[in-house]
Amino acid sequence: MWFGIQKVKSRRASMAATKAQGRAFTLFMGGLTAAAAGVAFFSSGSGKAALVLGLAVVAFSLFRFLKIKPLEGKAALGAQPAIQKLIGVLLALGGWVVVLYGLHLTASVSGRMTTSVIGLAMTLVGVLYVLPSAVSKNAIWKA
């Protein structure tokens, strides 16, 4: 193991990309850009052509993605605690609900500031403490 990247039997890092993946991703991004330009200029003839061509390139790139063979076996991830991940997500979303509700709860600046700080603290606890600890329970580098 070297800086959190685990070497596998094929001597490639587990997060490495191949040339085929890079080519397919480049096609995907080019097609997506052309399709977005086609949507933006749909009223003109060239906009419609760009949309059709972009969608065709996106479909072709997705076909290329599906054709790529994996270089390694399944990732060695164990089961992660779903309840702890759910609590983290609920804390993160609940913090924003507290902020939004607090803005309508009172008209005073100090009341709004207090509910905003409480909501921000809830969100930060969910995102920076609960979720990372849930995901790191059975991380691949702890094997």
Side-chain angles (χ1 to χ4, degrees), residues 3-118:
F3 290 112
I5 299 175
Q6 182 182 12
K7 298 290 182 178
V8 293
K9 290 180 184 177
S10 65
R11 297 206 182 265
R12 290 191 180 267
S14 61
M15 296 300 290
T18 63
K19 284 184 183 180
Q21 289 170 336
R23 287 184 189 124
F25 183 69
T26 302
L27 275 174
F28 176 75
M29 292 304 290
L32 193 62
T33 303
V39 168
F41 299 105
F42 189 72
S43 60
S44 69
S46 60
K48 291 175 184 154
L51 177 63
V52 170
L53 180 67
L55 290 177
V57 171
V58 167
F60 179 70
S61 70
L62 292 176
F63 173 73
R64 296 267 313 252
F65 275 127
L66 293 174
K67 215 169 81 169
I68 297 173
K69 293 181 182 175
L71 294 174
E72 56 198 42
K74 287 187 166 188
L77 289 177
Q80 297 174 345
I83 298 296
Q84 191 174 3
K85 288 194 298 187
L86 181 65
I87 290 171
V89 168
L90 289 177
L91 271 173
L93 295 175
W96 285 109
V97 169
V98 168
V99 169
L100 294 175
Y101 183 71
L103 291 176
H104 297 288
L105 187 64
T106 182
S108 71
V109 174
S110 61
R112 288 180 171 191
M113 184 63 78
T114 303
T115 57
S116 295
V117 168
I118 290 170

